[in-house]
Amino acid sequence: MTDQAQQPLWTAQAIAKAVNGQLHGDFTANGVAFDSREVGPGDLFVAMRGEQADGHDYITKAFANGAAGVICERACEEGPAIVVSDSAAALEALGVAARARTDAVIIGVTGSAGKTGTKEALHQALERLPSRSAHRSVKSYNNHVGVPLSLSRMPQESDFAVLEMGMNHKGELSALTQMVRPHVAIVTTVASAHIEFFKNEAAIAEAKAEIFEGLEAGGTAIIPYDNPHYGILYKKAEDCASNIITFGTSPEADCHVVDQLPAMEGGTLVTAMLNGQLLVYRIAQPGPHWVMNSLAILAGVQAVGGDLGVAGLALAEVEGLAGRGARHSLTVADGSILVIDESYNANPASMAVTLGDLGQTSAQRRVAILGAMKELGAQSDDLHAGLSAPIIAAQIDQCILVGEEMQILSEKLANMLEYKGQVAHVADSSQALDQLRTTLNAGDVILVKGSNSLGLGSVVKALTDELPADGDA
């Protein structure tokens, strides 16, 4: 394999050709960024005009942070530049050029929940293969700017790439998948996320199935057998894919669970049948959703010719991500608390699953800080009120509900005889933290989950900044 460390990610000439821009000065780039705060030494900075800020105002900062050159829409005196008419279009063109120049096997991942965790675990499973390299999307860069950014960061010599793709409107995935052109496309699940922009869940399934439209010849579609919208996904896969792999709990699924039980080390011990091959493995992350994710991950590894044994080891070590399942054991007076950070996103399905996980977690007291779920449209009240059932089933001792949309759930819980816990409804993350501090005790397990716009990650940060770690949870 070529030593990627000895050659740059991009030369200025290659960038200029890809984006049809005018080159002023020479440079080589080892990374790409469109946020000046993320620019590091040797990076290409793409100065784009956004709704809230104009990247051109941060070119000086980008060079101060070590940028090697910039893509911009005006003359640049600060350093080497490639001038284009539209920086956003240039980033897309650079991503397309990165995809065109590589022989990497590409896996695309979408779904209403589980995209990022599945992407990370797939990357870990493929990165561990001897003398092979794997690239992935970082963070949750999965939209019309995140996907071309992730592609543009892909080294030409990569053997594999795992790219996350998201959407909240019809047609978005169709455009993204034509850019990514995956060899394998995974749909983790279909649920009510972003339903404000769709007629119903079936329409969401149709939009998710757009990922199959970009499959390369001979491509593989991986779909959830147990999902209510399996038929929609399967029909689209039949039209676009050469191979279809299903995963789920049913023995009729190509990849299915044979047995599962709590593992002594934490997480779940799973016995699964994977296209006729029996495998026993442990998942470090708790919860039934991770069991389903693991089947999709292993199906993906198998589809690209990876090593299932190596993938099983990766699943045993995969850690929760910040905002997406990270666990923090923190010291308080007379003991410790466990903080489960799910603060990045929330929809009705992921809320129910995560509350179920909390209910299975041993605790003196279970506390749920739940933020409003966004983009639910006319169904918002019903879907928020519907969280009462998983809250009661999980025996949550205290609910701190954040945001205007949570008022209806607060009122419902307060009037339900079945709910024995305490309820507080607050306006924002700061008030949620204040409320938690008044009742915090040793032995608490605290779930923090909500739509990212509420900023509930600040609650997790405040706790981890103020309280000493008590070892990794």
Side-chain angles (χ1 to χ4, degrees):
M1 184 180 67
T2 304
D3 186 357
Q4 297 175 9
Q6 293 183 1
Q7 56 182 308
L9 178 65
W10 290 101
T11 65
Q13 292 77 14
I15 298 168
K17 180 179 179 181
V19 305
N20 193 26
Q22 296 180 345
L23 175 59
H24 301 272
D26 192 23
F27 64 93
T28 59
N30 294 314
V32 184
F34 56 60
D35 185 335
S36 62
R37 295 168 296 185
E38 296 183 358
V39 169
D43 282 352
L44 168 70
F45 174 58
V46 184
M48 296 191 296
R49 303 181 192 278
E51 294 180 2
Q52 305 297 326
D54 185 346
H56 294 79
D57 296 335
Y58 298 91
I59 289 176
T60 299
K61 179 180 178 182
F63 277 114
N65 288 343
V70 301
I71 289 177
C72 57
E73 299 171 7
R74 60 165 173 76
C76 177
E77 298 179 355
E78 293 90 339
I82 297 168
V83 180
V84 297
S85 59
D86 185 332
S87 294
L91 177 61
E92 182 173 326
L94 191 63
V96 170
R99 176 63 183 90
R101 71 179 185 173
T102 185
D103 292 325
V105 177
I106 311 290
I107 302 177
V109 182
T110 194
S112 299
K115 293 186 295 294
T116 303
T118 296
K119 176 256 299 180
E120 289 292 326
L122 271 166
H123 175 261
Q124 290 189 33
L126 297 172
E127 180 72 15
R128 289 167 178 246
L129 295 176
S131 302
R132 309 298 290 275
S133 64
H135 172 73
R136 74 190 188 285
S137 312
V138 298
K139 299 184 178 179
S140 291
Y141 284 157
N142 60 24
N143 63 5
H144 65 288
V145 291
V147 168
L149 177 71
S150 297
L151 282 168
S152 70
R153 290 172 165 177
M154 178 171 56
Q156 182 175 351
E157 301 80 10
S158 298
D159 296 296
F160 302 101
V162 189
L163 297 168
E164 180 180 339
M165 289 177 269
M167 65 90 205
N168 58 15
H169 286 83
K170 179 181 178 180
E172 288 181 321
L173 269 178
S174 183
L176 295 177
T177 192
Q178 296 295 343
M179 194 184 309
V180 171
R181 293 188 290 116
H183 298 90
V184 176
I186 298 173
V187 177
T188 58
T189 190
V190 175
S192 296
H194 313 298
I195 201 165
E196 177 182 1
F197 307 116
F198 295 91
K199 180 180 178 180
N200 49 37
E201 266 194 15
I204 295 175
E206 291 172 355
K208 292 295 183 187
E210 290 172 7
I211 192 174
F212 304 136
E213 294 176 4
L215 277 168
E216 292 282 78
T220 298
I222 299 176
I223 58 177
Y225 186 89
D226 302 331
N227 194 271
H229 308 292
Y230 166 78
I232 293 173
L233 298 174
Y234 194 91
K235 185 178 185 301
K236 186 71 169 185
E238 274 190 313
D239 293 339
C240 302
S242 296
N243 308 292
I244 302 174
I245 300 174
T246 61
F247 66 93
T249 57
S250 171
E252 296 182 9
D254 299 312
C255 301
H256 61 267
V257 175
V258 176
D259 191 21
Q260 57 180 304
L261 67 157
M264 292 182 61
E265 310 93 324
T268 308
L269 185 66
V270 181
T271 303
M273 185 66 70
L274 304 162
N275 290 296
Q277 186 171 349
L278 195 67
L279 184 68
V280 179
Y281 59 95
R282 185 177 76 87
I283 310 167
Q285 293 301 301
H289 60 298
W290 260 104
V291 175
M292 290 299 100
N293 289 349
S294 75
L295 295 176
I297 291 159
L298 293 170
V301 169
Q302 196 173 47
V304 300
D307 187 315
L308 289 178
V310 171
L313 293 173
L315 287 168
E317 297 178 7
V318 66
E319 297 181 350
L321 304 172
R324 299 180 181 275
R327 295 186 165 214
H328 305 278
S329 184
L330 305 173
T331 300
V332 296
D334 302 321
S336 63
I337 62 171
L338 176 63
V339 179
I340 304 172
D341 180 10
E342 289 276 0
S343 60
Y344 186 80
N345 207 353
N347 60 53
S350 65
M351 278 283 201
V353 167
T354 310
L355 285 165
D357 292 345
L358 178 58
Q360 296 298 313
T361 303
S362 177
Q364 294 292 323
R365 192 175 67 119
R366 299 185 182 95
V367 180
I369 301 177
L370 305 178
M373 302 177 290
K374 301 297 185 178
E375 298 182 350
L376 299 181
Q379 299 185 44
S380 180
D381 280 355
D382 289 343
L383 292 171
H384 279 90
L387 294 178
S388 59
I391 287 172
I392 291 169
Q395 298 181 314
I396 307 302
D397 298 289
Q398 181 181 15
C399 284
I400 302 174
L401 306 177
V402 188
E404 181 181 353
E405 296 91 336
M406 279 292 184
Q407 181 175 349
I408 190 167
L409 176 60
S410 176
E411 293 172 353
K412 183 173 183 179
L413 289 173
N415 291 308
M416 293 181 74
L417 295 177
E418 302 98 312
Y419 181 62
K420 309 300 182 183
Q422 299 176 325
V423 184
H425 180 223
V426 299
D428 54 35
S429 59
S430 177
Q431 291 183 15
L433 181 60
D434 291 342
Q435 181 70 33
L436 176 66
R437 282 172 169 151
T438 64
T439 60
L440 195 62
N441 290 306
D444 285 353
V445 176
I446 302 158
L447 168 66
V448 183
K449 186 169 182 64
S451 291
N452 192 40
S453 59
L454 273 76
L456 291 181
S458 63
V459 175
V460 178
K461 186 177 188 304
L463 293 173
T464 55
D465 284 349
E466 296 170 10
L467 301 174
D470 186 40
D472 294 332

